[in-house]
Amino acid sequence: MKSRIQVFEHQALRIGEQGFSKADFDALVLFNQRHADKFFVVRHNSLKFTSYVGVLHVGGVTIEVLPKADRTEIGGENKWHHALIEMLRACGYLRLAAVSSADLRLRSASLFDLYMEAFLSDVEHLLHQGFVKKYRQVSGNVAALKGRLIFSRDIAENLVHRERFYTAHQHYDRNNRFNQILQRAVCIVAATSRVGGLPRRADALLTWMEGIDDIVVTDRTFRRLAFDRNTERYRPAVALARLIILNYQPDVQRGGHDVLAILFDMNDLFEKYILRQLKRAASGFAGRVDVQGQREQRFW
């Protein structure tokens, strides 16, 4: 079975083609239903991809959905693989500076591997700088009275052991939302990555993250996240963690077909890429040319 399948946008992928199995098909159908059927159209024993490009990881198979402007060109997977990476890099969706030896690996590395390595590199950089610490409210029995004594719980639990106190107090440690989000994403990388040193690096990071709670992370978790001067350095890693966590669907039946998707609307991606290129060209005219993107506003 092939570990990487490459298809183009608006192309159909049938069961049996390029090692695409029935179990992979079923897992992607459930994933597509969870996301309002926007990533591909489900047909009999096949999937027809839409305008979303990027990468899908299901089970042990990576599916790259590539853009293709020239429909008459035969093949060209490597050409459009590199073109997609360049567009993602130019638009800020993939920071290759964070990927070790990225230029040497672009010829063979899958887009999934590049994203996972970029994320792990960001988290490793934060670890070397030192994970941020914050105050959090903790309740429990302590040997010395500190914080606020909770009388009802203290009487219920320490009626015999009067040497203990049940209190609510502030605790300063690394167990906060920022590190909890990173840990959840690292766990997903450890569960989905199968090649190179990515699983080993993820497991090593989880060892350093011991003591950080494994929480349920949703879109609301990210929306309520407030960056400050101390946590601004977390922003790139959190952006990648958001992509990983919100687009991950674990296999609840334990059949080994977890789904992780990092997909972008090709129409929006192409517009942003062209805008970046035009702004870059206009910078050589010493301010005589001003390039602005389209401004969208809902009318109804």
Side-chain angles (χ1 to χ4, degrees):
M1 177 186 292
K2 291 184 62 175
S3 61
R4 178 165 54 159
I5 298 172
Q6 290 181 315
V7 297
F8 293 104
E9 54 177 329
H10 304 295
Q11 178 181 335
L13 178 64
R14 296 173 178 83
I15 295 176
E17 291 182 347
Q18 304 187 60
F20 185 57
S21 69
K22 179 66 164 59
D24 300 332
F25 171 82
D26 293 337
L28 290 179
V29 168
L30 292 176
F31 176 81
N32 199 43
Q33 291 174 351
R34 177 185 171 189
H35 291 85
D37 298 322
K38 66 179 181 179
F39 293 134
F40 30 75
V41 178
V42 179
R43 296 177 172 177
H44 178 64
N45 290 335
S46 68
L47 300 175
K48 186 177 186 297
F49 294 88
T50 59
S51 60
Y52 282 84
V53 297
V55 61
L56 291 142
H57 189 79
V58 51
V61 177
T62 297
I63 303 174
E64 289 185 352
V65 186
L66 307 174
K68 190 174 183 180
D70 187 0
R71 300 283 176 197
T72 62
E73 181 183 4
I74 299 175
E77 287 83 357
N78 289 334
K79 169 185 175 181
W80 292 105
H81 169 81
H82 297 314
L84 178 58
I85 291 176
E86 170 59 24
M87 282 190 284
L88 293 172
R89 184 201 60 79
C91 295
Y93 294 133
L94 178 60
R95 299 184 310 111
L96 293 182
V99 180
S100 60
S101 305
D103 293 337
L104 301 178
R105 300 181 65 250
L106 285 181
R107 295 184 181 273
S108 59
S110 72
L111 187 58
F112 176 80
D113 297 334
L114 289 176
Y115 263 103
M116 297 304 101
E117 188 171 352
F119 171 69
L120 292 180
S121 296
D122 281 346
V123 179
E124 288 167 348
H125 182 64
L126 291 172
L127 174 62
H128 294 155
Q129 290 181 329
F131 286 143
V132 69
K133 293 183 178 181
K134 288 183 174 292
Y135 285 103
R136 61 187 177 95
Q137 188 81 0
V138 178
S139 299
N141 274 318
V142 293
L145 180 60
K146 59 179 179 180
R148 178 170 55 88
L149 183 66
I150 304 179
F151 288 100
S152 58
R153 295 295 300 274
D154 186 61
I155 294 174
E157 298 195 19
N158 299 325
L159 187 61
V160 177
H161 301 280
R162 298 312 301 166
E163 74 280 4
R164 297 198 300 245
F165 305 92
Y166 197 97
T167 67
H169 56 276
Q170 295 285 335
H171 192 63
Y172 186 69
D173 62 5
R174 304 184 306 171
N175 192 15
N176 54 71
R177 281 288 179 266
F178 290 92
N179 295 326
Q180 290 165 356
I181 287 173
L182 296 186
Q183 187 204 46
R184 182 88 288 276
V186 172
C187 286
I188 295 174
V189 175
T192 56
S193 298
R194 297 289 185 271
V195 297
L198 297 181
R200 175 181 51 81
R201 290 170 60 186
D203 289 338
L205 283 172
L206 290 176
T207 301
W208 285 100
M209 290 178 162
E210 187 176 354
I212 298 175
D213 293 341
D214 187 9
I215 65 170
V216 176
V217 180
T218 64
D219 182 59
R220 184 182 181 186
T221 308
F222 290 99
R223 285 189 278 108
R224 297 180 64 181
L225 210 58
F227 291 91
D228 56 27
R229 181 172 56 86
N230 293 326
T231 57
E232 183 63 30
R233 59 192 174 96
Y234 273 68
R235 195 178 291 274
V238 169
L240 286 174
R242 183 188 184 108
L243 278 176
I244 294 170
I245 296 172
L246 298 186
N247 292 287
Y248 175 67
Q249 177 175 292
D251 184 5
V252 295
Q253 296 182 353
R254 298 300 177 188
H257 283 78
D258 300 346
V259 178
L260 175 57
I262 302 177
L263 298 169
F264 305 90
D265 190 326
M266 182 58 192
N267 300 316
D268 294 337
L269 179 63
F270 188 69
E271 285 185 10
K272 291 179 181 179
Y273 177 71
I274 295 300
L275 177 61
R276 295 291 181 96
Q277 297 304 307
L278 291 175
K279 285 186 174 182
R280 181 179 179 182
S283 62
F285 288 87
R288 291 175 294 166
V289 177
D290 181 30
V291 178
Q292 295 183 359
Q294 298 184 74
R295 296 180 181 177
E296 295 184 0
Q297 183 174 355
R298 289 187 179 273
F299 185 72
W300 291 108

